[in-house]
């Protein structure tokens, strides 16, 4: 009786243990699946990686006059000549050798960008910048100014009231100013007068250009396009240019929209470190690696103090006061410190270690260049 009871209890315990293990395995699988789903792949749209050849903006520039200033204009010869020419075009003829005092007029350069597929009547934002000695463009009005492209043709006309994001005041030699007063902006201040021809719908093929040249990324993009639209749709010409043949009897706009929406995972970029010699800033990417090396650091400082010494002559003497300079030179040299760096350490750890021993930004630039010369730094150095 006792033996049968023990066997029954052991059977129940074994079945219960099996249920616990099965539930544990199920929970582990669910957790791993949720982790996989919660960690999205680093995918980017082709729209963010490449541009369509021929679809770009064009820069526009023009010379004009801003009037209505509150005595903050300029008196440059070209401003006066431009004003006289404008008045003659408006039917006002001035007597010869007439002296004109203009404090409310300023000569300006007007710039804008003509977006792709812009049509006549479309409005553009323009930036107005003083090119003379005008103190402020606040409250001014830009007169009709033609905006030309690189080919010398007029593509837009600009005119309107300026909005200047600064303010200033001066009186009795004192001056206070906030932000910049010689540059203003006019929202929708230009109207497109001529459209540029587009070759997107004229060619049998579409060419896209990667923003960053990379053969691996170009191959990944080609494979993604061929999977989406069929084999032999895309062909990489080099590490940047990809030629695409759209399917027949298909809307070109719809095809380009579907093309830009394809998600791809770009290849890992090459290891690079950007050094700014003026500010001492260092920017690196995640591909930077290091080999075993040792870094020695020591500071050498030279301090020069100069103080004037005045020698006064005695009373009732005919001597003169003599002023001389006395300089004290002090040279301080701190002992060098050696920092070992193991292979595979991240560059951020090296920067932290160097900062801990008092390395200045300029010293850090020199150390990184020395590590590159020694072959311990696996990255390209670019000094800007």
């Amino acid at each position: 009786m006792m033996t049968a009871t023990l066997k029954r209890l052991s059977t129940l315990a074994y079945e219960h243990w099996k249920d616990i293990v099965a539930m544990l395995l199920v929970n582990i699988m669910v957790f791993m699946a949720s982790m996989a789903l919660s960690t999205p792949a680093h995918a980017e749209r082709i729209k963010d990686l490449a541009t369509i050849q021929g679809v770009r903006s064009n820069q526009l520039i023009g010379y004009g006059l801003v009037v209505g200033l509150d005595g903050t204009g300029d008196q440059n010869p070209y401003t006066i000549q431009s004003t006289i020419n404008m008045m003659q075009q408006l039917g006002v003829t001035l007597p010869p050798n007439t002296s004109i005092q203009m404090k409310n007029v300023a000569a300006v350069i007007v710039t804008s960008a003509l977006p792709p597929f812009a049509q006549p009547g479309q409005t553009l934002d323009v930036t107005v910048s003083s090119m003379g000695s005008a103190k402020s463009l606040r409250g001014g009005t830009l007169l009709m100014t033609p905006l030309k492209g690189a080919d010398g043709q007029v593509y837009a006309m600009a005119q309107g009231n300026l909005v200047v994001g600064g303010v200033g005041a001066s009186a009795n030699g004192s001056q206070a100013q906030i932000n910049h007063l010689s540059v203003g902006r006019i929202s929708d201040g230009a109207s497109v007068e001529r459209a540029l021809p587009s070759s997107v719908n004229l060619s049998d093929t579409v060419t896209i250009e990667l923003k960053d040249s990379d053969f691996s990324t170009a191959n990944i993009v080609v494979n993604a396009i061929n999977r989406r639209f069929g084999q032999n749709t895309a062909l990489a010409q080099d590490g940047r240019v990809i030629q695409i043949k759209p399917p027949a009897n298909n809307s070109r706009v719809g095809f380009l929209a579907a093309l830009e929406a394809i998600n791809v995972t770009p290849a890992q970029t090459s290891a690079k470190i950007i050094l700014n010699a003026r500010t001492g800033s260092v920017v690196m990417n995640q591909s930077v690696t290091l080999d075993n090396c040792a870094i020695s650091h020591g500071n050498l400082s030279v301090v020069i103090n100069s103080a004037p010494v005045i020698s006064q002559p005695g009373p009732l003497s005919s001597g003169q006061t003599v002023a001389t300079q006395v300089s004290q030179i002090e040279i301080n040299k701190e002992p060098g410190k050696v920092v070992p760096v193991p292979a595979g350490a991240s560059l951020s750890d090296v920067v932290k270690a160097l900062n801990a021993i008092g390395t200045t930004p300029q010293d850090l630039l020199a150390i990184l260049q020395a590590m590159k010369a020694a072959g311990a730094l696996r990255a390209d150095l670019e000094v800007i």
Side-chain angles (χ1 to χ4, degrees):
M1 184 70 178
M2 183 64 68
T3 302
T5 302
L6 292 175
K7 289 183 178 181
R8 184 177 180 183
L9 291 175
S10 61
T11 303
L12 293 175
Y14 177 74
E15 295 294 336
H16 183 63
W17 174 251
K18 286 176 60 180
D19 294 339
I20 294 176
V21 172
M23 292 178 61
L24 182 60
L25 291 176
V26 170
N27 291 333
I28 292 175
M29 294 176 65
V30 171
F31 175 76
M32 294 178 64
S34 63
M35 288 296 293
L37 293 176
S38 62
T39 306
H42 180 63
E44 298 183 30
R45 299 175 302 173
I46 292 182
K47 177 187 295 187
D48 302 323
L49 295 175
T51 59
I52 301 175
Q53 192 177 77
V55 180
R56 65 180 185 89
S57 60
N58 292 270
Q59 302 300 320
L60 303 178
I61 188 172
Y63 169 80
L65 294 174
V66 171
V67 298
L69 302 177
D70 189 12
T72 58
D74 55 50
Q75 291 286 332
N76 297 309
Y78 49 82
T79 306
I80 299 175
Q81 184 64 42
S82 301
T83 304
I84 294 175
N85 295 339
M86 180 196 66
M87 295 176 66
Q88 289 178 353
Q89 294 178 3
L90 297 177
V92 179
T93 302
L94 298 177
N97 301 325
T98 300
S99 177
I100 302 178
Q101 297 295 328
M102 297 181 304
K103 297 182 179 180
N104 300 335
V105 183
V108 294
I109 291 294
V110 184
T111 57
S112 184
L114 185 67
F117 314 118
Q119 298 299 318
Q122 181 178 341
T123 57
L124 307 175
D125 295 342
V126 297
T127 301
V128 182
S129 306
S130 172
M131 61 176 298
S133 57
K135 297 180 180 179
S136 174
L137 298 180
R138 188 177 181 87
T141 300
L142 175 68
L143 300 182
M144 184 181 297
T145 303
L147 302 181
K148 300 180 180 181
D151 56 357
Q153 302 294 326
V154 176
Y155 288 93
M157 298 295 293
Q159 182 171 281
N161 298 323
L162 275 73
V163 176
V164 179
V167 63
S170 61
N172 299 325
S174 300
Q175 182 178 0
Q177 178 176 324
I178 300 176
N179 295 334
H180 209 56
L181 300 177
S182 58
V183 177
R185 190 170 179 85
I186 307 177
S187 298
D188 298 333
S191 177
V192 178
E193 301 295 333
R194 178 182 299 181
L196 285 173
S198 175
S199 60
V200 174
N201 294 322
L202 300 178
S203 177
D204 295 334
T205 60
V206 174
T207 303
I208 64 174
E209 300 175 355
L210 297 180
K211 297 179 180 178
D212 296 322
S213 179
D214 188 272
F215 288 100
S216 300
T217 303
N219 186 58
I220 293 173
V221 172
V222 167
N223 294 334
I225 295 174
N226 289 335
R227 285 194 302 268
R228 175 65 173 82
F229 298 104
Q231 292 296 325
N232 301 325
T233 301
L235 177 64
Q237 302 293 328
D238 48 39
R240 180 182 296 270
V241 181
I242 300 175
Q243 190 174 20
I244 303 171
K245 185 177 181 180
N249 300 326
N250 194 357
S251 172
R252 184 62 58 89
V253 175
F255 171 76
L256 293 178
L259 174 67
E260 291 181 335
I262 297 177
N263 291 326
V264 297
T265 302
Q268 189 174 11
T269 58
S270 59
K272 180 176 289 188
I273 302 175
I274 308 298
L275 308 176
N276 193 324
R278 294 181 295 274
T279 62
S281 59
V282 180
V283 180
M284 71 205 79
N285 58 18
Q286 61 182 357
S287 303
V288 177
T289 58
L290 298 173
D291 291 338
N292 287 324
C293 64
I295 303 171
S296 177
H297 172 69
N299 287 335
L300 179 65
S301 61
V302 179
V303 180
I304 301 176
N305 292 325
S306 298
V309 176
I310 308 299
S311 177
Q312 294 285 356
L316 303 177
S317 65
S318 60
Q320 296 180 355
T321 302
V322 178
T324 59
Q325 294 285 339
V326 176
S327 299
Q328 296 180 353
I329 302 177
E330 180 182 358
I331 301 178
N332 299 322
K333 183 178 181 181
E334 297 181 2
K337 299 179 182 180
V338 179
V339 179
V341 179
S346 64
L347 190 58
S348 60
D349 296 334
V350 177
V351 174
K352 292 178 182 178
L354 295 177
N355 289 333
I357 62 176
T359 306
T360 63
Q362 295 299 329
D363 292 336
L364 182 59
L365 300 181
I367 290 174
L368 291 177
Q369 290 177 339
M371 292 173 63
K372 175 64 177 179
L377 182 62
R378 302 298 183 182
D380 296 331
L381 288 177
E382 182 177 346
V383 180
I384 60 176

